[in-house]
Amino acid sequence: MTDTASLGSDEILRALMTSTNVRVIFVVTTGAAREAARRHGAVGAAAVAMGRALTAGLLLATLTKDDERVTLQILGDGPLGAITVDAAASGRVRAYVRNPAATGPALPDLRLTVRRLIGNHGFVSVIRDLGLPRPFSGRVALADGEIDTDVERYLEESEQIPSALACETLLGADLDVAVSAGILVQALPSDAGAAFVPQIKAALRSGALLSALRAKAPLAGALPDAASLARSLLASSVGDFQILDRRPVAFHCGCSRERASGTLALLGPRDLADLAAAAEPVSITCEFCRARYDFSPAELAASAVISAAPPAPP
């Protein structure tokens, strides 16, 4: 099991702008994005794609007050392959990328185009788990392969909520993650909210989040907090910016040796016995955090015996 606390400024902020009747969610994910990239060995454009997807997953997971859990998948036909994010409203998040070694043009302190890595064709898939008998799921085609605009399209087409969403993951001189953050603005039922969302969407498309990150978090300076970034983006409406709650963000993986052992047990007694007879240890690696769990031939043989045993009578 892995639970890595992110940098002190990593957090989720939920707020309400009462005059326009819109909700604002802002996340700073620098530490979590760095940790995900480190575990998968992703640098440059691959680290940017992971950071944007991780940030977008957290934004999706914080739309309700409940302990929501979201699985976000970006599946394109590019060399990076699928990106999968598992995010919870509590701020815990993990991410997996199929081919973290994929590379693309990368420069520090700029918004990178990642569509070459993601691909031109594919889709966004979202599964929401609210603790109900059946989770909600939706899927839409990729908009442009830039991840944040793709997830924005999902919200508007699949969940039919007027939304403005932007995520930025900027690189440092070493092409590792320097800062990562995202914002989601959604209209609540009102004419004012419906009019405001297109305005903030236009601002985000013109680079407002990128400019705010550069102003608040120069590569050699301190990392910003979510509230200061949100206020700088919504400067004209600071007076009615009401913070509802704040919570920390952390890279977290729920894998464990017990779960890995349960995965092995699915092989069945005969396959487990064959593995034990080979007299070589077997390793299972978690796709999300890359933690490795080793099982000796003796442990494999014991699992084979347990798996072959008849179930206990009720």
Side-chain angles (χ1 to χ4, degrees), residues 50-208:
M50 286 191 72
R52 282 190 203 165
L54 180 149
T55 302
L58 272 174
L59 288 170
L60 290 177
T62 55
L63 295 181
T64 68
K65 294 181 180 179
D66 302 318
D67 190 15
E68 183 175 1
R69 194 172 198 90
V70 164
T71 301
L72 166 67
Q73 281 193 313
I74 309 292
L75 298 104
D77 59 357
L80 197 63
I83 304 178
T84 302
V85 177
D86 178 37
S90 63
R92 290 179 169 182
V93 64
R94 59 182 184 168
Y96 159 65
V97 61
R98 185 171 297 165
N99 184 18
T103 59
L107 291 171
D109 202 27
L110 294 174
R111 177 175 172 90
L112 300 184
T113 297
V114 298
R115 69 185 66 182
R116 294 181 184 177
L117 293 182
I118 300 299
N120 296 318
H121 304 286
F123 56 87
V124 174
S125 172
V126 175
I127 300 174
R128 293 188 180 277
D129 184 358
L130 294 169
L132 301 174
R134 296 183 62 183
F136 166 83
S137 63
R139 176 170 143 168
V140 300
L142 291 176
D144 58 12
E146 294 298 340
I147 299 177
D148 49 1
T149 45
D150 297 313
V151 175
E152 181 186 88
R153 178 177 183 175
Y154 162 80
L155 285 169
E156 296 196 323
E157 290 193 8
S158 182
E159 301 192 4
Q160 299 183 352
I161 304 173
S163 305
L165 186 149
C167 302
E168 293 288 0
T169 299
L170 303 183
L171 302 175
D174 55 1
L175 298 187
D176 287 333
V177 174
V179 63
S180 184
I183 184 171
L184 171 62
V185 178
Q186 288 191 316
L188 299 174
S190 76
D191 292 338
F196 179 78
V197 169
Q199 296 175 25
I200 189 66
K201 182 184 293 189
L204 293 175
R205 289 292 177 274
S206 65

